Amino acid sequence: MTGTLYVVATPIGNLADASPRAIDTLRAADLIACEDTRTSRTLLARHGINARTVALHEHNERTAAPKLIDALRQGKNVALISDAGTPALADPGAWLVAQAHRAGIPVRPIPGPSAAAAALSAAGFAASRFLFAGFLPPSAAARRKALEALDLPLPVVLYEAPHRVRETLADLLARFGPEREIAIARELTKKFEEVARLPLGAALDWLDERPEREQGEFVLVLAPGEERPATAMDAQRVLAVLLETLPPSEAAKLAARITGVPKSALYRKAIERAK
Ligand code: SAM
């Protein structure tokens, strides 16, 4: 009998957010793989959990994982936690989880806090779909390029470090304009928690209102952009590509489905092109 790998979400600030199931799982584990054993000690000590801890972080994951897989193969139960929130979500852990799947070891999530979900829930943008874009690249040029791909008709969730939040808000303003809204979620679940939803044009003033606002942990949620209807130009391009392999009626039918432009108009264009 192999053991089970439990992927356990822990608080993102307020220790009372540890779920009873998370605590029970940590208490019952034979081994706890922690991103930083010293950071996790506060949570473990609070609940009198004395299980053996092993460090598993981005610099040692590939060497530490095989030892944990051996322990799981021998029937030990392992709990994986990160410094805060959900492991493997902008945090280490995915490599170990993948190795466990490969070895046929059961993997069970113990869901709980995540800064992304918390910020999205308090942002108030309809989020039946959203993009989690994690941290933007640190270099200014790469960050601006990354933003080009984020003009989407759905909320985009970004993590940001406090020393880069000003620059990132300025880049978002330059790319998406002053009217696009942003939710700035700061120090979630902690003493100085703030969630502000405002137009990008007002975001830097909001930071400037209080110097301490540039400290702490941040999630930024960019409001969805406009759904961009296909233009006549897009439709013609799609039609031209489809006409390379399909007869005009089929190409017009598919191009109409893809772009939403009426089929009759596209069929006329297709015939014109065929002539
Ligand atoms: N695994 C974590 C999760 O589930 O959210 C994320 C870890 S990632 C290394 C750390 C980043 O998450 C921070 O830089 C910040 O952007 C965001 N974050 C974590 N805790 C937060 C909090 N209490 N308030 C706001 N953002 C937070």
Side-chain angles (χ1 to χ4, degrees):
M1 279 286 280
T2 65
T4 296
L5 174 61
Y6 294 96
V7 185
V8 183
T10 59
I12 55 170
N14 189 327
L15 290 186
D17 288 338
S19 76
R21 203 154 83 92
I23 298 307
D24 288 349
T25 306
L26 293 173
R27 187 165 283 130
D30 298 300
L31 272 171
I32 303 178
C34 308
E35 181 178 2
D36 182 331
T37 51
R38 282 161 309 175
T39 305
S40 296
R41 200 161 292 148
T42 315
L43 175 72
L44 300 178
R46 180 184 163 112
H47 296 280
I49 297 168
N50 299 313
R52 214 182 110 210
T53 55
V54 179
L56 182 107
H57 46 73
E58 61 173 327
H59 304 295
N60 80 344
E61 191 166 0
R62 296 195 179 206
T63 50
K67 292 175 201 145
L68 289 163
I69 296 291
D70 281 347
L72 284 154
R73 280 209 175 98
Q74 287 161 21
K76 305 262 190 253
N77 289 319
V78 175
L80 167 68
I81 58 178
S82 61
D83 284 352
T86 300
L89 202 164
D91 260 344
W95 174 260
L96 172 65
V97 171
Q99 298 312 305
H101 284 299
R102 274 210 187 144
I105 289 159
V107 179
R108 298 288 174 260
I110 307 295
S114 164
L120 201 54
S121 71
F125 302 124
S128 47
R129 300 181 302 154
F130 69 92
L131 178 79
F132 174 63
F135 290 98
L136 291 170
S139 97
R143 190 169 58 240
R144 284 170 203 153
K145 186 147 182 42
L147 288 181
E148 283 170 25
L150 299 183
D151 194 4
L152 301 168
L154 33 95
V156 175
V157 180
L158 298 166
Y159 283 173
E160 195 46 281
H163 61 279
R164 271 199 295 268
V165 77
R166 173 175 294 277
E167 256 182 288
T168 295
L169 286 171
D171 286 347
L172 287 164
L173 171 63
R175 179 68 187 78
F176 301 108
E179 272 155 37
R180 179 79 71 93
E181 284 195 295
I182 184 114
I184 307 175
R186 179 177 164 262
E187 291 289 88
L188 289 169
T189 78
K190 302 188 209 175
K191 187 167 175 196
F192 297 108
E193 173 180 74
E194 287 186 286
V195 182
R197 177 169 153 170
L198 63 186
L200 274 170
L204 291 172
D205 286 345
W206 181 87
L207 267 193
D208 289 336
E209 268 168 34
R210 290 203 222 130
E212 68 273 16
R213 281 202 172 138
E214 252 176 280
Q215 291 160 20
E217 297 193 279
F218 286 87
V219 184
L220 305 176
V221 187
L222 181 67
E226 296 285 311
E227 191 89 51
R228 197 173 62 94
T231 62
M233 183 58 91
D234 293 332
Q236 289 204 33
R237 238 182 256 144
V238 170
L239 186 65
V241 173
L242 293 172
L243 278 170
E244 286 171 17
T245 51
L246 293 173
S249 63
E250 280 297 301
K253 194 164 99 187
L254 277 179
R257 278 182 58 195
I258 294 166
T259 63
V261 172
K263 184 179 140 196
S264 53
L266 290 170
Y267 183 66
R268 270 199 305 280
K269 285 272 171 225
I271 295 296
E272 274 169 29
R273 290 185 85 101
K275 280 186 195 153

